[in-house]
Amino acid sequence: MNASAAVLKINGLDLMFPQSEIRTLESASDVDATDPGEKSVGWISYMRQRWPVYCLSEQLELQATLPSSRRTCALLAVEAGYIGVLCDDVSIMKQVTGQLYEIPLAMKTAHTPIQGLFANQQGLLCVSNANQLAAYVEHRIHKA
Amino acid sequence: MSRMNAWLLDFGDSCRAAVGTRELLHLVDAPATFAVPCTPEYCRRVVLWQERLLPVMDMAARLGAAPHDAPFLAVVGYQKLRGEYPQFGALMLASPPRQLAVSDEQACALPAESSAWREWAVSCFELHGTPIPVLNLRHLFSSTLRQ
């Protein structure tokens, strides 16, 4: 992996995305909680439109209530527009050096947004991308 | 004197099984493991071992018990096909493994109380009146969650 990456921190989970997929970072207080969409916690405005914002647990379950630690909303670019994901913090990795591993076969599940695991000096990070996360959220919404 | 040819593994929750002596490669005490979301509840964690990333299998949970933490990990090796490079995995253990000498005369039926053993065991032997399944490691670490 060479391109820079953004790491969304969600209650101990480090979720790594290509930095190019992060459009903007907003304060969680900017999320409009009025009349939220299905399984979302509200809306964030960007490019004169509003986009759904989701709150995920460290197990990537959709949460209806917003923990106080989720202070940042990362807006991810997806095929159909954008989605907001609440996280505790976001860090940028300019130099992405480490070892990328596949998810072991016995651990694979359908619809997982985790593409692999990335080991570096900070520990192990879960690698995802915006479209895969959006598809996973969509699946969870309709499964519920 | 009988030759030691098996390791007896204690997965906790009264769940025990065995592997061959050559299949158990390393015992890790107080392992540092890492949880991965969206994984089966019986295999939620990974461990870094000799620059490899290994799945950590909770065998008791795979047989229906509640998932739990374990003080030990047994690193095991297996081959998908004879002659191929070995693959590796880790099994959560409640206590250190114990070596056994097992003979053909000890062969018996799989435990009747859990039909799941039929999928994960290649054979079974009797130890002090208790059936001890012998794990099919290749199948255990190569099968994905049925959804």
Side-chain angles (χ1 to χ4, degrees), chain A residues 101 105 107 109-110 112 117 124, chain B residues 34 38 43 51 53 142 144 147:
Chain A
Y101 296 95
L105 191 58
M107 303 179 79
T109 54
T112 177
L117 296 162
L124 273 173
Chain B
F34 176 83
C38 302
C43 197
E51 298 184 2
L53 190 80
S142 302
T144 53
Q147 292 173 315

Side-chain angles (χ1 to χ4, degrees), chain A residues 2 25 32 34-36 45 53 63 65 71 73 78 84 86 92 98 102 106 109 115 121 129 139:
Chain A
N2 294 316
L25 299 174
D32 176 7
T34 313
D35 193 22
S45 295
V53 176
Q63 294 187 300
T65 51
R71 292 185 295 262
C73 177
V78 296
L86 290 170
I92 304 297
E102 277 187 34
T109 54
Q115 292 180 303
Q121 289 180 333
N129 70 46
H139 169 74

Side-chain angles (χ1 to χ4, degrees), chain B residues 91-140:
Chain B
L91 296 163
M92 292 169 64
L93 298 185
S95 62
R98 191 156 60 89
Q99 275 204 309
L100 297 174
V102 181
S103 67
D104 290 345
E105 288 70 43
Q106 289 171 260
C108 71
L110 288 165
E113 63 271 18
S114 177
S115 59
W117 276 122
R118 280 201 289 272
E119 191 167 358
W120 311 123
V122 284
S123 60
C124 191
F125 62 88
E126 190 178 271
L127 181 70
H128 309 309
T130 305
I132 306 291
V134 178
L135 287 179
N136 182 345
L137 294 172
R138 180 183 62 80
H139 186 52
L140 191 62

Side-chain angles (χ1 to χ4, degrees), chain A residues 1 3-19 58 60 89-104 107 112-129, chain B residues 33-37 39 44 46-48 53:
Chain A
M1 298 182 75
S4 57
V7 180
L8 275 55
K9 296 179 182 299
I10 301 174
N11 199 24
L13 170 70
D14 290 340
L15 203 51
M16 182 174 165
F17 293 88
Q19 194 192 343
E58 67 273 25
L60 297 182
D89 194 14
V90 178
S91 64
I92 304 297
M93 295 168 64
K94 290 288 180 195
Q95 296 280 328
V96 182
T97 53
Q99 175 77 44
L100 180 65
Y101 296 95
E102 277 187 34
I103 299 284
M107 303 179 79
T112 177
I114 309 297
Q115 292 180 303
L117 296 162
F118 187 76
N120 66 7
Q121 289 180 333
Q122 296 167 19
L124 273 173
L125 315 174
C126 292
V127 179
S128 188
N129 70 46
Chain B
T33 61
F34 176 83
V36 181
T39 47
R44 286 221 178 282
V46 291
V47 64
L48 278 167
L53 190 80

